[in-house]
């Protein structure tokens, strides 16, 4: 695809990358702009490229709009952010961001600088266009990397595109049948052919289909799964699971619980959502819900409320006790869930019943720390949540509240070794 007239010149692009430190210019962002011989960069206009684009200035001419002074390199995520919140990211703010980033830039090694220059001047540009429909003032440039004789094009984008489907139990040659959007079987013969067929619409469709980070598919970030944080927000979690259940029957999940001596999140909910069929087998996508320190009495209460919310939405949760490393691995979001015979829902570890936290005081308190004090506060929180209806389910148990009240009363007079310190 040819660059249009208003694109920056090669010399301008080289200058931008030489001052980039190979990182997004957004403060605190560590996303790399060049990875494994693939250049994936959002070249963003500070003052917009054309009428209607963010921060457009009609007094500028073409040369001013495509000059290095009017351009900033960002990762896809922050490119969308600056163009969807123009009040916050004004011309002055973006200029200061660019100045600070380039002022503190480290020099690019000569070999890398040469490679990037060759990429822009000699290699094929395989896609140029707006990203996500939000960014009329920016463009996305993907440069085809050097050919890897053992892996076709060696493109991270093509490799990740195929990996995404294979990690959900879909063979490479089945991708056109599952995804559609004009993708043909001939496009799957090798990564070079696939890279020619891919565009931003296909990448967004694939990432939305499996609910994974679009930036991962573009090769810009390492986090595959977005993590949903519902700590203290069981009402929002209920809305979330009800929405999933309304889209498809058969949503299920698992609560992973670990024991650790470290003060860190030790519980994680993985929800499996059916999204289609292939050869009479279900296709699923997965949602990772994080940020419960379940050994803390308050977090244990909120976790129990989320389990109850899932039951009310008819999304039934299994339980597995796993090593803390397993929770950490999934919490980082950088590895795919491992697909088994029929799904990738985690089934390793010792079985337990999350719903027991709703009806059995001992199960609710199992693993709660802070001694007697933590148990008292946890039981009182259970009673408070139950009073609001947050722990209501259709489980056939009677007089459950009385069980928890008696458990709390039984702690009266017990000495807590932490009290009085």
């Amino acid at each position: 695809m040819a660059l249009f007239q208003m694109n920056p010149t090669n010399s301008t692009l080289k200058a931008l990358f030489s001052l980039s430190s190979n990182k997004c210019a957004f403060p605190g962002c560590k996303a790399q702009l060049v990875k494994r011989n693939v250049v994936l960069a959002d070249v963003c206009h500070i003052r917009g490229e054309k009428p209607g684009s963010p921060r457009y200035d009609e007094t500028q001419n073409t040369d001013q709009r495509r000059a290095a002074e009017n351009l900033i390199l960002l990762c896809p995520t922050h490119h969308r952010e600056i163009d969807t919140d123009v009040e916050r990211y004004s011309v002055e703010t973006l200029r200061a961001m660019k100045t600070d980033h380039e002022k503190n830039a480290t020099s690019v090694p000569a070999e890398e600088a040469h490679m990037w220059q060759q990429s822009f001047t000699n290699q094929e540009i395989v896609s140029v266009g707006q990203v996500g429909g939000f960014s009329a003032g920016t463009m996305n440039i993907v440069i085809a990397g050097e050919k890897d004789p053992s892996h076709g094009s060696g493109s991270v984008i093509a490799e990740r595109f195929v990996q995404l489907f294979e990690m959900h139990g879909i063979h490479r040659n089945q991708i056109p049948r599952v995804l559609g959007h004009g993708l043909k079987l001939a496009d799957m013969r090798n990564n070079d052919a696939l890279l020619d067929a891919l565009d931003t619409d296909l990448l967004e469709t694939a990432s939305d289909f499996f609910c994974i980070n679009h930036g991962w598919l573009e090769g810009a970030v390492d986090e595959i799964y977005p993590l949903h944080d519902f700590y203290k927000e069981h009402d929002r979690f209920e809305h979330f699971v009800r929405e999933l259940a309304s889209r498809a029957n058969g949503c299920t999940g698992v609560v992973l619980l670990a024991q650790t001596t470290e003060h860190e999140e030790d519980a994680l909910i993985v929800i499996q959502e059916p999204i289609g069929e292939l050869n009479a087998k279900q296709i699923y996508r997965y949602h990772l819900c994080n940020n419960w320190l379940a050994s803390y009495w308050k977090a244990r209460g909120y976790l129990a409320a989320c389990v109850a919310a899932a039951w009310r939405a008819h999304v039934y949760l299994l339980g597995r006790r796993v090593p803390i490393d397993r929770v950490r691995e999934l919490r980082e979001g950088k590895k795919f869930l491992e697909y088994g015979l029929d799904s990738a829902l985690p089934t390793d570890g010792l079985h337990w019943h999350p719903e027991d936290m709703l009806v059995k005081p001992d199960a609710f308190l199992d693993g709660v720390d802070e001694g007697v004090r933590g148990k008292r506060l946890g039981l009182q929180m259970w009673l408070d949540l139950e009073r609001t209806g947050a722990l209501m389910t259709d489980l056939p148990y009677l007089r459950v509240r009385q069980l928890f009240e008696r458990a709390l009363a039984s702690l009266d007079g017990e000495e807590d070794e932490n009290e009085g310190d």
Side-chain angles (χ1 to χ4, degrees), residues 156-401:
V156 170
I157 299 170
E159 289 174 1
R160 288 189 172 186
F161 184 85
V162 174
Q163 183 187 15
L164 174 62
F165 286 84
E166 290 182 340
M167 294 305 294
H168 288 83
I170 300 168
H171 188 274
R172 178 189 188 105
N173 293 338
Q174 295 174 315
I175 296 175
R177 180 150 56 108
V178 172
L179 193 63
H181 283 262
L183 201 61
K184 302 183 292 295
L185 187 59
D187 298 326
M188 308 308 301
R189 64 186 183 273
N190 56 49
N191 282 358
D192 287 336
L194 177 58
L195 195 58
D196 287 338
L198 291 178
D199 57 23
T200 55
D201 288 338
L202 267 174
L203 294 178
E204 286 189 356
T205 299
S207 57
D208 290 345
F209 186 66
F210 289 113
C211 284
I212 59 102
N213 281 322
H214 184 65
W216 177 85
L217 201 52
E218 293 177 320
V221 299
D222 294 326
E223 293 77 21
I224 301 168
Y225 298 105
L227 292 177
H228 304 279
D229 184 350
F230 293 109
Y231 181 59
K232 295 185 178 181
E233 298 187 73
H234 48 277
D235 290 338
R236 189 166 64 87
F237 179 80
E238 181 163 5
H239 177 78
F240 176 73
V241 292
R242 286 189 180 277
E243 183 178 348
L244 295 182
S246 71
R247 295 200 295 242
N249 292 324
C251 284
T252 56
V254 61
V255 182
L256 301 179
L257 189 61
Q259 286 189 329
T260 176
T261 57
E262 302 294 329
H263 190 75
E264 62 179 308
E265 294 90 346
D266 52 10
L268 187 140
I269 297 177
V270 181
I271 298 178
Q272 176 177 269
E273 177 192 4
I275 53 174
E277 284 191 359
L278 180 64
N279 297 337
K281 290 182 63 174
Q282 285 281 358
I283 302 172
Y284 300 103
R285 62 186 173 197
Y286 297 89
H287 307 274
L288 274 59
C289 307
N290 181 47
N291 200 20
W292 291 283
L293 178 60
S295 57
Y296 173 44
W297 60 268
K298 186 177 290 188
R300 179 64 63 96
Y302 288 127
L303 178 62
C306 287
V307 171
W311 274 76
R312 290 195 295 273
H314 304 291
V315 176
Y316 303 115
L317 303 177
L318 305 173
R320 291 292 185 271
R321 295 188 185 275
V322 297
I324 187 61
D325 286 346
R326 179 78 165 122
V327 173
R328 288 170 182 158
E329 176 183 86
L330 294 176
R331 199 173 65 214
E332 289 176 355
K334 295 181 181 180
K335 290 187 66 175
F336 277 103
L337 293 165
E338 296 181 8
Y339 206 90
L341 183 62
D342 296 314
S343 81
L345 198 65
T347 56
D348 53 315
L350 297 176
H351 183 73
W352 69 288
H353 297 280
E355 67 274 16
D356 283 353
M357 294 191 297
L358 310 176
V359 295
K360 299 178 180 179
D362 288 346
F364 176 76
L365 294 175
D366 187 20
V368 172
D369 58 16
E370 295 188 60
V372 175
R373 175 181 180 275
K375 289 180 171 59
R376 284 198 192 106
L377 292 171
L379 290 169
Q380 186 60 59
M381 183 173 188
W382 188 100
L383 293 168
D384 293 342
L385 287 169
E386 190 273 342
R387 187 178 296 111
T388 68
L391 300 181
M392 184 187 305
T393 69
D394 56 0
L395 292 167
Y397 289 87
L398 300 175
R399 295 185 293 276
V400 173
R401 182 176 179 86

